[in-house]
Amino acid sequence: MNPLSGRVAGTVLTVTPNPALDETYQVRKVTPGSTHRVRPPLARAGGKGLNSARVIHQLGYPALAVAPLGGPAGEACRTELASAGVPHRLVEASAPTRRSMAFVDEENGLTSIFNEMGFPLRPEEWKDLFQVLEHEVPQAACVVGAGSLPPEAPTDFFARLVRLSDRAGLPCIIDTSGAALLEAAAAGAFVLKPNREELLEATQCPDTAAGADMLLAAGAQNVLVSNGAEGMLLFNAGTPGTCLAATLGRSLPGNPTGAGYAAVAALAVLLASGERDPEPLLRAATAWSAAAVLMPAAGEISPRYAEFAGQVHIRH
């Protein structure tokens, strides 16, 4: 089941202000407090936006990843992006790019993640990044701003990206947390994609529906809330007081770290192709998310995403 039904997607522009060199370790069994021997990790350029672009590229749709990179880890990311063939435009940063480490426990199927916070960018580097975006955004069909912000970053970074996209007449997806999520909502983001924990952190609402309604009231047009194996909820500003709930109906063994990136990739590809109906957007996001769990590392998706799309159950 191809979600595009023959349509050709325009380019998805992803923006990752705090990228990382993702290192994924496969461990037979993780025992706290003990020593483990592990094989060399699978190392890739990562961060939410870069991983979403990687999924989009893997499936043959046009993507362009924008990110600042610096230091040895940044150079490793540049080399890996080039070898993987993911289209990119990078901004040179003086600060070293951070690292993110995932330890996959093969025995129990659980994954532990350790994310470095990152390092501040200089004011002129933020300016360089926005100059790139001002040039690239008008040429895209959908814009994704994703991930955390490095220390000392302007909290309105994603809000500025939303406004820049809006001036170009483009839908913008924001996948972030904290104050930046609230500012993106106030700027009128087309889709906000927090998980349940990020929604609680940003809104301080223990009730998911109330938290999503707060973001919609602030100005967001859609809020997609992910909750692991329990599925996803899509809230739309046009239908207040209701939501669409989607689930595959079963949990899948594997590495869940790439599920959210794949969900954003699905939304972006469909939006870039002109789709605006909430139900197919939610169906694709749920199916792609599930298919990503089957893969060993973030930024990959199993071809079973097409099979899963037909199995997703959606209810009002």
Side-chain angles (χ1 to χ4, degrees), residues 1-12 55-63 141-142 263-277 279-281 283-285 287-288 305-306 309:
M1 179 183 294
N2 188 329
L4 298 183
S5 301
R7 289 173 287 168
V8 177
T11 298
V12 175
V55 171
I56 294 168
H57 176 71
Q58 177 192 332
L59 295 184
Y61 301 115
C142 179
V264 169
L267 292 175
V269 168
L270 265 68
L271 290 174
S273 302
E275 182 63 73
R276 297 295 184 272
D277 187 348
E279 188 161 325
L281 290 172
R283 180 176 299 279
W288 290 31
Y305 76 93

Side-chain angles (χ1 to χ4, degrees), residues 106-139:
E106 297 173 340
E107 184 169 296
N108 62 26
L110 298 178
T111 300
S112 301
I113 302 173
F114 298 82
N115 290 326
E116 293 181 351
M117 294 179 62
F119 301 90
L121 298 179
R122 293 176 176 174
E124 60 268 24
E125 292 166 349
W126 285 111
K127 182 178 179 181
D128 291 343
L129 180 56
F130 257 99
Q131 285 179 340
V132 169
L133 296 177
E134 287 169 353
H135 177 266
E136 297 294 348
V137 164
Q139 304 179 61

Side-chain angles (χ1 to χ4, degrees), residues 151-282:
E152 302 176 26
T155 59
D156 69 344
F157 174 83
F158 288 119
R160 291 176 63 187
L161 182 62
V162 171
R163 290 190 288 268
L164 181 60
S165 303
D166 188 60
R167 288 196 296 271
L170 302 176
C172 185
I173 304 168
I174 298 297
D175 182 6
T176 189
S177 59
L181 186 70
L182 300 176
E183 296 213 23
F190 188 80
V191 181
L192 296 180
K193 200 246 136 250
N195 60 35
R196 187 164 288 183
E197 291 75 20
E198 291 166 340
L199 180 65
L200 172 61
E201 176 197 2
T203 65
Q204 298 301 301
C205 290
D207 180 73
T208 298
D213 285 345
M214 179 182 293
L215 297 180
L216 294 175
Q221 298 180 54
N222 298 276
V223 178
L224 178 66
V225 183
S226 57
N227 191 32
E230 293 184 24
M232 296 185 171
L233 302 173
L234 181 60
F235 300 82
N236 180 274
T239 55
T242 67
C243 74
L244 291 175
T247 178
L248 190 62
R250 64 187 188 278
S251 60
L252 297 171
N255 180 4
T257 57
Y261 316 142
V264 169
L267 292 175
V269 168
L270 265 68
L271 290 174
S273 302
E275 182 63 73
R276 297 295 184 272
D277 187 348
E279 188 161 325
L281 290 172
L282 179 59

Side-chain angles (χ1 to χ4, degrees), residues 19-25 27 30-33 36 47 98-105 110-118 148 255 257 261:
L21 179 64
D22 284 348
E23 298 177 325
T24 303
Y25 292 84
V27 186
V30 175
T31 304
H36 302 80
R98 67 193 179 109
R99 294 174 183 266
S100 175
M101 291 154 285
F103 296 86
V104 181
D105 188 321
L110 298 178
T111 300
S112 301
I113 302 173
F114 298 82
N115 290 326
E116 293 181 351
M117 294 179 62
S148 61
N255 180 4
T257 57
Y261 316 142

